Amino acid sequence: MKICFITLGDIKSIATMKRAIGMANPLLSIGWEVAIIAQDSDENRKRIAMECSDAVQVHYYPEGTATAEVRIKTALVNEIGPDYIVFCSFSFRNRILKNKLKHKPVILIEHSELPSGIPDNKGLRKYAMLALEQWSVLYADGLLCASQYLCKTYTKKAAQLFRKQLPILYSPYAFNNDVVESPRVRYQELKEMYAGKTLLLYMGTLTRNYGLFSMLQAMEIICRERPDTTLLLLGRGRHQEEASAFVKEKGLSSQVQFLGYTPEEELSSYFAAADAFISPLNDTVQDWARCPSKIYMYIPFNKPVFTGNIGEPAEIFGRDGHYFDNQAPASLAALISRLASGELKPAPVDKAAHSWEKRAIDFTAWTNTHYASKALPIANL
C-alpha cells in the first residue's frame, strides 16, 4: 500500500507536517510506501532530511495562491498514485480537486485543533472555520483526531451530517526517536552555563493565551525565594516584546531568557539539560481540543511536566500529573518551589505507548479494519 501525506506551509510557523515526518519511517518499516507533499522551504527540507529515510518520496511545491497550490497538489497526487491520502489539516488551500483524480484513493483528514473554538477566530472567519469543519466530514473517507475532545466533536458532526458510520481514529501526537536519540551537541555547554540553577523550559508560541504571562508571573513569585531558578523560553510570538518589557520591569532578566526559534538538532541538548518542562493549558474549548505536541516530545526525557489537568495531559499523566491553574500563577510557582527543593519526581508514563512507531501500528490496524479492499497484510502488527 502507498500512503501520501499532504502538508501545508513552513513547519517553523505551521506545524502541520509533524504527523507526516513522525509516521513516515515507522510506516516504511511495517511495509508501506510513503510519500510526502510539502511546501518548498529551507526549514521543511532540513526537517525532512533529518527525520525521514531516503526511501520516503518527497515532492516539494512552491508557495503560491490557494488555487495554485490546490492545482499542484492534485497533479502530484495523480503522479504519485497513492492508495491513501492523509491531509495534515484541511483548508481551502490544503485540499485537492477530487473530480480531477485518475484513481480513487481513501481520503483521510487529520484534525489536531478546533479552529471554530479559537477565540481569535471571530465573525465571518469563525463561520468559515465551521464550514470547513463540516466540509471535512463530507469530503473524507475517515478522520484522524489528535484529541479525545475532537473525536467526540467529529463523531457528533458526522451524525448530524448523516455520516454516522464515518471511521474516526483517536491518534494523538507522539515522540520521534530520531530527535530523542540525536547527538546532544550543546548538552555539556548548557550544563556548565546553568550549573547550580533549577532549569525550566517552555517551547512554543509566545502569546498570552498560551500562558506566557502566567509563567512570567510565576517566575516573579518564585524568584523572591529562589533566585537560582531560570526559565528558558524557546520560540517566538506576537506578545514577545510585551513579555520582554515585563521581564525588564520586574528585574527578571537573569532568570528569564528568550532564546527564539531553536534548531531541531539542538532540542535534545536543551531537553536533557532541563529539570522540568512547562506546558500551560487553559480550561477552554481551544485547549481541550488541541493536542499539545510538545508534551509528547518531553515524555522520553523523564522529567516533571507542569501542565493543566485537562485533555491529553490528563489522559497521559492521570492522577500522578503535576498540574497547575493557568489563571493562578501562584499554583505554578508552588510546583517550581517543590521542584527546586527536590520534592518532585516525574509522573510514571509508558513511553512506548506514545511513540510514532505505536501510532503507525495503530493506524495500520485501523485502516485494515475499515478499508478491507485496501488492507495491508502485515504479520507483526
Side-chain angles (χ1 to χ4, degrees), residues 76-147:
L76 286 172
V77 167
N78 278 327
E79 177 185 331
I80 296 163
D83 300 287
Y84 290 86
I85 293 171
V86 177
F87 286 96
C88 297
S89 86
F90 184 66
S91 69
F92 298 111
R93 182 181 293 269
N94 202 42
R95 59 187 177 89
I96 56 175
L97 301 171
K98 292 167 74 173
N99 63 339
K100 299 291 185 182
L101 295 183
K102 297 176 182 177
H103 70 301
K104 185 173 173 54
V106 174
I107 294 179
L108 306 173
I109 292 174
E110 176 198 14
H111 290 290
S112 57
E113 63 178 1
L114 191 68
S116 65
I118 298 174
D120 286 350
N121 291 334
K122 301 174 183 176
L124 290 176
R125 181 167 177 78
K126 182 181 179 73
Y127 286 111
M129 296 300 101
L130 280 167
L132 268 174
E133 290 163 11
Q134 292 186 312
W135 188 17
S136 74
V137 172
L138 300 172
Y139 186 97
D141 299 307
L143 302 177
L144 280 64
C145 291
S147 72

Coordinates of all heavy atoms in Angstrom, one line a residue, residues 76-147:
L76 N 0.2 16.3 -8.3 CA 1.2 15.5 -7.7 C 0.5 14.2 -7.2 O 1.1 13.1 -7.3 CB 1.8 16.2 -6.5 CG 2.8 17.3 -6.8 CD1 3.2 18.1 -5.6 CD2 4.1 16.6 -7.5
V77 N -0.7 14.2 -6.7 CA -1.4 13.0 -6.3 C -1.6 12.1 -7.5 O -1.4 10.9 -7.4 CB -2.8 13.4 -5.6 CG1 -3.6 12.1 -5.5 CG2 -2.5 14.0 -4.2
N78 N -2.0 12.7 -8.6 CA -2.1 11.8 -9.8 C -0.8 11.2 -10.2 O -0.7 10.1 -10.7 CB -2.7 12.7 -11.0 CG -4.2 12.8 -10.9 OD1 -4.9 11.9 -10.5 ND2 -4.7 13.9 -11.3
E79 N 0.3 11.9 -10.0 CA 1.6 11.4 -10.3 C 2.0 10.3 -9.4 O 2.6 9.2 -9.8 CB 2.7 12.5 -10.3 CG 4.1 12.1 -10.5 CD 5.1 13.3 -10.3 OE1 4.7 14.4 -10.5 OE2 6.2 13.0 -10.0
I80 N 1.8 10.5 -8.1 CA 2.2 9.5 -7.1 C 1.3 8.3 -7.1 O 1.7 7.1 -6.9 CB 2.1 10.2 -5.7 CG1 3.1 11.3 -5.6 CG2 2.4 9.2 -4.5 CD1 2.9 12.3 -4.4
G81 N 0.0 8.5 -7.3 CA -1.0 7.3 -7.3 C -1.1 6.6 -6.0 O -1.0 5.4 -5.9
P82 N -1.3 7.3 -4.9 CA -1.4 6.6 -3.6 C -2.7 5.9 -3.4 O -3.7 6.2 -4.0 CB -1.3 7.8 -2.6 CG -1.9 8.9 -3.3 CD -1.6 8.8 -4.7
D83 N -2.7 4.9 -2.5 CA -3.9 4.2 -2.1 C -4.6 5.0 -1.0 O -5.8 4.9 -0.9 CB -3.6 2.8 -1.5 CG -2.9 1.9 -2.6 OD1 -3.6 1.5 -3.5 OD2 -1.6 1.7 -2.5
Y84 N -3.8 5.7 -0.2 CA -4.3 6.5 0.9 C -3.7 7.9 0.8 O -2.5 8.1 0.6 CB -4.0 5.9 2.3 CG -4.7 4.6 2.7 CD1 -4.2 3.4 2.3 CD2 -5.9 4.7 3.4 CE1 -4.8 2.2 2.6 CE2 -6.5 3.5 3.7 CZ -6.0 2.3 3.3 OH -6.7 1.1 3.6
I85 N -4.6 8.9 1.1 CA -4.1 10.3 1.2 C -4.4 10.7 2.7 O -5.5 10.5 3.1 CB -4.8 11.2 0.3 CG1 -4.4 10.9 -1.2 CG2 -4.5 12.7 0.6 CD1 -5.2 11.6 -2.2
V86 N -3.5 11.3 3.4 CA -3.7 11.9 4.7 C -3.5 13.4 4.6 O -2.3 13.8 4.3 CB -2.8 11.3 5.8 CG1 -3.1 12.0 7.1 CG2 -3.1 9.8 5.9
F87 N -4.5 14.2 4.7 CA -4.3 15.7 4.8 C -4.0 16.0 6.2 O -4.7 15.8 7.1 CB -5.6 16.4 4.4 CG -5.9 16.4 2.9 CD1 -6.7 15.4 2.4 CD2 -5.3 17.3 2.1 CE1 -7.0 15.4 1.0 CE2 -5.6 17.3 0.7 CZ -6.4 16.3 0.2
C88 N -2.8 16.6 6.4 CA -2.3 17.0 7.7 C -2.9 18.5 7.9 O -2.2 19.4 7.7 CB -0.8 17.0 7.8 SG -0.1 15.3 7.7
S89 N -4.1 18.5 8.3 CA -5.0 19.7 8.4 C -5.7 19.9 7.1 O -5.2 19.4 6.0 CB -4.3 21.0 8.7 OG -3.7 21.6 7.6
F90 N -6.9 20.4 7.1 CA -7.8 20.6 5.9 C -8.1 22.1 5.8 O -8.5 22.7 6.8 CB -9.0 19.8 6.1 CG -9.9 19.8 4.9 CD1 -9.5 19.2 3.7 CD2 -11.2 20.3 5.0 CE1 -10.4 19.2 2.6 CE2 -12.1 20.3 3.9 CZ -11.7 19.8 2.7
S91 N -7.9 22.7 4.7 CA -8.3 24.1 4.5 C -8.6 24.3 3.0 O -8.4 23.4 2.2 CB -7.1 25.0 4.9 OG -6.0 24.8 4.0
F92 N -9.0 25.5 2.7 CA -9.2 25.9 1.3 C -8.0 25.7 0.5 O -8.0 25.5 -0.7 CB -9.8 27.3 1.2 CG -11.1 27.5 1.9 CD1 -11.2 28.3 3.1 CD2 -12.2 26.9 1.4 CE1 -12.4 28.4 3.7 CE2 -13.5 27.0 2.1 CZ -13.5 27.8 3.2
R93 N -6.8 25.8 1.1 CA -5.5 25.7 0.4 C -5.0 24.3 0.5 O -4.3 23.9 -0.5 CB -4.5 26.7 1.1 CG -3.1 26.8 0.6 CD -2.3 27.7 1.4 NE -2.7 29.1 1.3 CZ -2.3 29.9 0.4 NH1 -1.3 29.5 -0.5 NH2 -2.7 31.2 0.3
N94 N -5.3 23.6 1.5 CA -4.8 22.2 1.7 C -5.8 21.2 1.3 O -6.4 20.6 2.2 CB -4.2 22.0 3.1 CG -3.2 20.9 3.1 OD1 -2.4 20.8 2.3 ND2 -3.3 20.0 4.2
R95 N -6.1 21.0 0.1 CA -7.0 20.0 -0.4 C -6.6 19.7 -1.9 O -5.7 20.3 -2.4 CB -8.5 20.6 -0.4 CG -8.6 21.9 -1.1 CD -10.0 22.5 -0.9 NE -10.1 23.8 -1.7 CZ -10.5 23.9 -2.9 NH1 -10.9 22.8 -3.6 NH2 -10.6 25.1 -3.5
I96 N -7.4 18.8 -2.5 CA -7.2 18.5 -3.9 C -8.6 18.5 -4.6 O -9.6 18.5 -4.0 CB -6.5 17.2 -4.1 CG1 -7.4 16.1 -3.4 CG2 -5.1 17.2 -3.6 CD1 -6.8 14.7 -3.7
L97 N -8.5 18.5 -5.9 CA -9.8 18.5 -6.7 C -10.1 17.0 -7.0 O -9.5 16.4 -7.9 CB -9.6 19.3 -8.0 CG -9.2 20.8 -7.9 CD1 -8.8 21.4 -9.2 CD2 -10.3 21.5 -7.2
K98 N -11.0 16.5 -6.2 CA -11.3 15.1 -6.3 C -11.8 14.7 -7.7 O -11.5 13.5 -8.2 CB -12.4 14.7 -5.3 CG -11.8 14.8 -3.8 CD -12.9 14.7 -2.8 CE -13.5 13.3 -2.6 NZ -14.4 13.3 -1.5
N99 N -12.5 15.6 -8.4 CA -13.0 15.2 -9.7 C -11.9 15.2 -10.8 O -12.2 14.8 -11.9 CB -14.1 16.2 -10.1 CG -13.6 17.6 -10.2 OD1 -12.6 18.0 -9.7 ND2 -14.4 18.5 -11.0
K100 N -10.7 15.6 -10.4 CA -9.6 15.6 -11.4 C -8.7 14.4 -11.1 O -7.7 14.2 -11.9 CB -8.7 16.8 -11.2 CG -9.5 18.1 -11.5 CD -9.9 18.3 -13.0 CE -10.5 19.6 -13.3 NZ -11.0 19.7 -14.7
L101 N -9.0 13.5 -10.2 CA -8.2 12.4 -9.9 C -8.3 11.3 -10.9 O -9.5 11.0 -11.4 CB -8.5 11.8 -8.5 CG -8.1 12.7 -7.3 CD1 -8.4 12.0 -6.0 CD2 -6.7 13.2 -7.3
K102 N -7.2 10.6 -11.2 CA -7.3 9.5 -12.2 C -7.6 8.1 -11.5 O -7.8 7.1 -12.2 CB -6.0 9.4 -12.9 CG -5.6 10.6 -13.7 CD -4.2 10.5 -14.3 CE -3.9 11.8 -15.1 NZ -2.5 11.7 -15.7
H103 N -7.6 8.1 -10.2 CA -7.9 6.9 -9.4 C -8.7 7.3 -8.2 O -8.8 8.5 -7.9 CB -6.7 6.1 -9.1 CG -5.8 6.8 -8.1 ND1 -5.3 8.0 -8.2 CD2 -5.4 6.3 -6.8 CE1 -4.6 8.4 -7.2 NE2 -4.6 7.3 -6.3
K104 N -9.1 6.3 -7.4 CA -9.9 6.6 -6.2 C -9.2 6.2 -4.9 O -9.3 5.0 -4.5 CB -11.3 6.0 -6.3 CG -12.2 6.4 -5.1 CD -13.6 5.9 -5.3 CE -14.5 6.1 -4.1 NZ -14.5 7.5 -3.6
P105 N -8.4 7.1 -4.3 CA -7.7 6.7 -3.1 C -8.7 6.9 -1.9 O -9.7 7.6 -2.0 CB -6.6 7.7 -3.0 CG -7.1 8.9 -3.7 CD -8.0 8.4 -4.8
V106 N -8.3 6.3 -0.8 CA -9.0 6.6 0.5 C -8.5 7.9 1.0 O -7.3 8.1 1.2 CB -8.7 5.5 1.6 CG1 -9.4 5.9 2.9 CG2 -9.3 4.1 1.1
I107 N -9.4 8.8 1.3 CA -9.0 10.2 1.7 C -9.3 10.3 3.2 O -10.4 10.2 3.7 CB -9.8 11.3 0.9 CG1 -9.3 11.2 -0.6 CG2 -9.5 12.6 1.5 CD1 -10.1 12.2 -1.4
L108 N -8.2 10.6 3.9 CA -8.3 10.8 5.4 C -7.8 12.2 5.7 O -6.9 12.8 5.1 CB -7.3 9.8 6.1 CG -7.6 8.3 5.7 CD1 -6.5 7.4 6.3 CD2 -9.0 7.8 6.1
I109 N -8.5 12.8 6.7 CA -8.1 14.1 7.2 C -7.8 14.1 8.7 O -8.5 13.5 9.5 CB -9.3 15.1 6.9 CG1 -9.5 15.3 5.4 CG2 -9.1 16.5 7.6 CD1 -10.8 16.1 5.1
E110 N -6.6 14.7 9.0 CA -6.2 14.8 10.4 C -6.7 16.2 11.0 O -6.6 17.2 10.3 CB -4.7 14.8 10.5 CG -4.2 15.1 11.9 CD -2.8 15.5 12.0 OE1 -2.2 15.8 11.0 OE2 -2.2 15.4 13.1
H111 N -7.3 16.1 12.2 CA -7.7 17.3 12.9 C -6.8 17.3 14.2 O -6.9 16.3 15.0 CB -9.2 17.3 13.3 CG -10.0 17.5 12.1 ND1 -10.1 18.7 11.4 CD2 -10.9 16.6 11.4 CE1 -11.0 18.6 10.4 NE2 -11.5 17.4 10.4
S112 N -6.1 18.4 14.4 CA -5.3 18.5 15.6 C -5.7 19.7 16.5 O -5.2 19.9 17.5 CB -3.8 18.6 15.3 OG -3.6 19.7 14.4
E113 N -6.7 20.4 16.0 CA -7.3 21.5 16.8 C -8.7 21.8 16.3 O -9.1 21.2 15.3 CB -6.4 22.8 16.7 CG -6.3 23.4 15.3 CD -5.5 24.6 15.3 OE1 -5.0 25.1 16.3 OE2 -5.4 25.2 14.2
L114 N -9.4 22.7 16.9 CA -10.8 23.0 16.5 C -10.8 24.5 16.2 O -11.0 25.3 17.1 CB -11.8 22.7 17.6 CG -13.3 22.8 17.2 CD1 -13.6 21.7 16.2 CD2 -14.2 22.6 18.4
P115 N -10.5 24.9 15.0 CA -10.4 26.4 14.7 C -11.6 27.2 15.1 O -11.5 28.3 15.5 CB -10.2 26.4 13.1 CG -9.6 25.0 12.9 CD -10.2 24.1 13.8
S116 N -12.8 26.6 15.0 CA -14.0 27.4 15.4 C -14.1 27.6 16.9 O -14.9 28.5 17.3 CB -15.3 26.6 14.9 OG -15.4 25.4 15.6
G117 N -13.3 26.9 17.6 CA -13.2 27.1 19.1 C -12.1 28.1 19.6 O -12.0 28.3 20.8
I118 N -11.4 28.6 18.6 CA -10.3 29.6 19.0 C -10.9 31.0 19.1 O -11.5 31.5 18.1 CB -9.2 29.5 17.9 CG1 -8.6 28.1 17.8 CG2 -8.1 30.6 18.2 CD1 -7.6 27.9 16.7
P119 N -10.8 31.6 20.2 CA -11.4 32.9 20.4 C -11.0 34.0 19.4 O -11.8 34.8 19.1 CB -10.9 33.3 21.8 CG -10.7 32.0 22.5 CD -10.1 31.1 21.5
D120 N -9.8 33.9 18.9 CA -9.3 34.9 17.9 C -10.1 34.8 16.6 O -10.1 35.7 15.8 CB -7.8 34.8 17.6 CG -7.0 35.3 18.8 OD1 -7.6 36.0 19.7 OD2 -5.8 35.1 18.8
N121 N -10.7 33.6 16.3 CA -11.5 33.5 15.1 C -12.9 33.9 15.3 O -13.7 33.2 15.9 CB -11.4 32.0 14.6 CG -10.1 31.6 14.1 OD1 -9.3 32.4 13.7 ND2 -9.8 30.3 14.2
K122 N -13.1 35.2 14.9 CA -14.4 35.8 15.2 C -15.2 36.1 13.9 O -14.6 36.1 12.8 CB -14.2 37.1 16.0 CG -13.5 36.9 17.3 CD -13.2 38.2 18.0 CE -12.5 38.0 19.3 NZ -12.1 39.3 19.9
G123 N -16.5 36.4 14.0 CA -17.3 36.9 12.9 C -17.3 35.9 11.7 O -17.5 34.7 11.9
L124 N -17.0 36.5 10.5 CA -17.1 35.7 9.3 C -16.0 34.6 9.3 O -16.2 33.5 8.8 CB -16.9 36.6 8.1 CG -18.0 37.5 7.7 CD1 -17.6 38.4 6.6 CD2 -19.3 36.7 7.4
R125 N -14.8 34.9 9.9 CA -13.8 33.8 10.0 C -14.3 32.6 10.8 O -14.0 31.5 10.4 CB -12.5 34.4 10.6 CG -11.4 33.4 10.6 CD -10.0 34.0 10.9 NE -9.0 33.0 11.0 CZ -8.4 32.4 10.0 NH1 -8.8 32.7 8.7 NH2 -7.5 31.5 10.2
K126 N -15.0 32.9 11.9 CA -15.5 31.7 12.7 C -16.4 30.9 11.8 O -16.4 29.6 11.9 CB -16.2 32.3 13.9 CG -16.7 31.2 14.8 CD -17.4 31.8 16.0 CE -17.9 30.7 17.0 NZ -16.9 30.0 17.7
Y127 N -17.3 31.5 11.1 CA -18.3 30.8 10.2 C -17.5 30.0 9.1 O -17.9 28.9 8.8 CB -19.3 31.7 9.6 CG -20.3 32.2 10.6 CD1 -20.3 33.5 11.0 CD2 -21.2 31.3 11.2 CE1 -21.3 34.0 12.0 CE2 -22.2 31.8 12.1 CZ -22.2 33.1 12.5 OH -23.1 33.5 13.5
A128 N -16.5 30.6 8.6 CA -15.7 29.9 7.6 C -15.0 28.7 8.2 O -15.0 27.6 7.5 CB -14.6 30.8 7.0
M129 N -14.5 28.8 9.4 CA -13.9 27.6 10.1 C -15.0 26.5 10.4 O -14.7 25.3 10.2 CB -13.3 28.0 11.4 CG -12.1 29.0 11.3 SD -10.7 28.4 10.3 CE -11.0 29.2 8.7
L130 N -16.1 26.9 10.8 CA -17.2 26.0 11.0 C -17.6 25.2 9.7 O -17.8 24.0 9.7 CB -18.5 26.7 11.6 CG -18.5 27.0 13.0 CD1 -19.6 28.0 13.4 CD2 -18.6 25.7 13.9
A131 N -17.6 26.0 8.6 CA -17.9 25.4 7.3 C -16.9 24.4 6.9 O -17.2 23.3 6.4 CB -18.1 26.5 6.3
L132 N -15.6 24.7 7.1 CA -14.5 23.8 6.8 C -14.6 22.5 7.6 O -14.4 21.4 7.1 CB -13.2 24.5 7.1 CG -12.5 25.2 5.9 CD1 -11.3 25.9 6.4 CD2 -12.2 24.2 4.8
E133 N -14.9 22.7 8.9 CA -15.0 21.5 9.8 C -16.1 20.6 9.3 O -15.9 19.3 9.2 CB -15.3 22.0 11.2 CG -14.1 22.6 11.9 CD -14.4 23.5 13.1 OE1 -15.6 23.4 13.6 OE2 -13.6 24.2 13.6
Q134 N -17.2 21.1 8.9 CA -18.3 20.3 8.4 C -18.0 19.7 7.0 O -18.3 18.6 6.7 CB -19.6 21.1 8.3 CG -20.2 21.5 9.6 CD -21.5 22.2 9.5 OE1 -21.7 23.1 8.8 NE2 -22.5 21.7 10.3
W135 N -17.3 20.5 6.2 CA -16.9 20.0 4.8 C -16.0 18.9 5.0 O -16.0 17.9 4.2 CB -16.3 21.2 4.1 CG -16.0 20.9 2.6 CD1 -16.5 19.9 1.9 CD2 -15.1 21.6 1.8 NE1 -16.0 19.9 0.6 CE2 -15.2 21.0 0.5 CE3 -14.3 22.8 1.9 CZ2 -14.4 21.4 -0.6 CZ3 -13.6 23.2 0.8 CH2 -13.6 22.6 -0.4
S136 N -15.1 18.9 5.9 CA -14.1 17.8 6.1 C -14.8 16.5 6.3 O -14.4 15.4 5.9 CB -13.2 18.1 7.3 OG -13.8 18.0 8.5
V137 N -16.0 16.5 7.0 CA -16.7 15.3 7.3 C -17.3 14.8 6.0 O -17.4 13.5 5.8 CB -17.8 15.6 8.4 CG1 -18.8 14.4 8.5 CG2 -17.2 16.0 9.7
L138 N -17.8 15.6 5.2 CA -18.4 15.2 3.9 C -17.3 14.8 2.9 O -17.5 14.0 2.0 CB -19.2 16.3 3.3 CG -20.4 16.8 4.2 CD1 -21.1 18.0 3.6 CD2 -21.4 15.6 4.4
Y139 N -16.1 15.5 2.9 CA -15.1 15.3 2.0 C -14.3 14.0 2.2 O -13.8 13.4 1.2 CB -14.1 16.5 2.1 CG -13.0 16.6 1.1 CD1 -13.2 17.4 -0.1 CD2 -11.8 16.0 1.3 CE1 -12.1 17.6 -1.0 CE2 -10.8 16.1 0.4 CZ -10.9 16.9 -0.7 OH -9.9 17.1 -1.6
A140 N -14.1 13.6 3.4 CA -13.2 12.5 3.8 C -13.9 11.1 3.8 O -15.1 11.0 4.0 CB -12.6 12.8 5.1
D141 N -13.0 10.1 3.7 CA -13.5 8.7 3.9 C -13.2 8.3 5.4 O -13.6 7.2 5.8 CB -12.8 7.8 3.0 CG -13.0 8.1 1.5 OD1 -14.2 8.2 1.2 OD2 -12.1 8.3 0.8
G142 N -12.5 9.1 6.1 CA -12.2 8.8 7.5 C -11.4 10.0 8.1 O -10.9 10.8 7.4
L143 N -11.4 10.1 9.4 CA -10.8 11.2 10.1 C -9.8 10.6 11.2 O -10.0 9.6 11.8 CB -11.8 12.1 10.9 CG -12.9 12.7 10.0 CD1 -13.9 13.5 10.9 CD2 -12.4 13.6 9.0
L144 N -8.7 11.4 11.3 CA -7.7 11.1 12.4 C -7.8 12.3 13.4 O -7.6 13.4 13.0 CB -6.3 11.0 11.9 CG -5.8 9.7 11.3 CD1 -6.6 9.4 10.0 CD2 -4.3 9.8 11.0
C145 N -8.2 12.0 14.6 CA -8.3 13.1 15.6 C -7.3 13.0 16.7 O -7.1 11.9 17.3 CB -9.7 13.1 16.2 SG -11.0 13.5 15.1
A146 N -6.6 14.1 16.9 CA -5.4 14.1 17.8 C -5.8 14.3 19.3 O -4.9 14.3 20.2 CB -4.4 15.1 17.4
S147 N -7.1 14.5 19.6 CA -7.5 14.6 21.0 C -8.9 13.9 21.1 O -9.6 13.7 20.2 CB -7.7 16.1 21.4 OG -8.8 16.7 20.8

